[in-house]
Amino acid sequence: MRRDVFQAIADPTRRQIINLLAARQMNLNAIADSFEISRPAISKHIKILTQCGLITIKQQGRERYCRAELKKLEQVAKWTGQYRAFWTGKLNALEDFLDNEQIEQKPKLK
Amino acid sequence: MRRDVFQAIADPTRRQIINLLAARQMNLNAIADSFEISRPAISKHIKILTQCGLITIKQQGRERYCRAELKKLEQVAKWTGQYRAFWTGKLNALEDFLDNEQIEQKPKLK
DNA sequence: TGTATATGATACCTTTTGGTTACGCAAACA
DNA sequence: TGTTTGCGTAACCAAAAGGTATCATATACA
């Protein structure tokens, strides 16, 4: 089973859980109350988030407080960050130019 | 079928395809040659990437040149960007303080 | 015109995902 | 001590994901 941050944040429910936990720590039932789906379903999402390090759990009696480990998102930010120039609007002219060049220059068969 | 950028980049093969296409446009066979898996498998990944707008295709005779639409990644960058402060090292002290506060202040049952 | 090439489409398979219900158990309360 | 609460886990399910082999088709080359 692949367990990486990219896969973890692919699910919209899990992204929402992270959003919730970014604001404050919550126990599992509190999280489940914020969603329509069942508690065991949330429990599974939490497990996945824990396995890839996006949240950590602090046991407090019978409650388990979940805390978002937001530093883990740096990995994703770094990957997208490589391409940041492409939406800051600075590269558009160059980009279009290169696109055309590349096709013209492609090696012809034979 | 959910088709969003987060889900698209969840697969490592698809991220690699984006990496390849960021450097230069390529046709489908050229992309497939860079991987161990079969051409139809790549074709499916390309379809997914196209459906969510991460790549566009330019037909050139019998070849189809794929181009990465890297601006689409802005969405992901924005989402992770909300939490940027958590890995720039500026918030750690405050963060730890708040974490403890939150638990102490939680409403007691009854 | 015949053949090689680039690619789409289909059928099929296995594993993973995301959900459910039902049950069990330890901690906390009355 | 009995009962509620918080949560894990198991069994089960349908659908989606990721792959394959195979076939069809249009374009390009000889």
Side-chain angles (χ1 to χ4, degrees), chain A residues 22-107:
Chain A
R24 61 188 192 86
Q25 290 189 40
M26 296 171 79
N27 64 13
L28 214 135
N29 278 340
I31 298 171
D33 284 345
S34 310
F35 297 88
E36 299 264 282
I37 59 179
S38 69
R39 184 187 52 76
I42 295 294
S43 202
K44 285 187 185 181
H45 284 306
I46 297 292
K47 194 175 220 169
I48 290 170
L49 289 167
T50 305
Q51 283 171 347
C52 74
L54 264 167
I55 72 175
T56 50
I57 294 184
K58 214 191 246 176
Q59 188 93 31
Q60 295 253 311
R62 65 183 164 184
E63 293 174 80
R64 312 179 77 217
Y65 277 85
C66 302
R67 158 189 174 146
E69 295 296 336
L70 298 164
K71 288 185 195 71
K72 269 277 166 181
L73 293 175
E74 182 175 13
Q75 208 182 121
V76 178
K78 268 191 176 169
W79 188 76
T80 59
Q82 308 174 70
Y83 308 116
R84 168 165 287 283
F86 288 87
W87 61 82
T88 53
K90 289 172 191 164
L91 285 193
N92 295 342
L94 175 62
E95 199 188 346
D96 292 340
F97 172 76
L98 287 176
D99 286 339
N100 290 323
E101 282 304 288
Q102 280 166 15
I103 287 195
E104 324 267 306
Q105 289 174 5
K106 95 185 161 70

Side-chain angles (χ1 to χ4, degrees), chain A residues 2 4 6-8 10, chain B residues 5-15:
Chain A
R2 189 164 40 85
D4 61 62
F6 287 93
Q7 188 251 354
Chain B
V5 182
F6 287 93
Q7 186 253 354
I9 65 168
D11 184 273
T13 302
R14 287 197 290 267
R15 286 200 300 281

Side-chain angles (χ1 to χ4, degrees), chain B residues 29-51:
Chain B
N29 278 339
I31 298 170
D33 284 346
S34 310
F35 296 89
E36 299 263 283
I37 60 177
S38 69
R39 186 186 51 76
I42 295 294
S43 203
K44 285 188 186 180
H45 284 307
I46 296 291
K47 195 175 220 168
I48 290 170
L49 290 167
T50 305
Q51 283 171 347

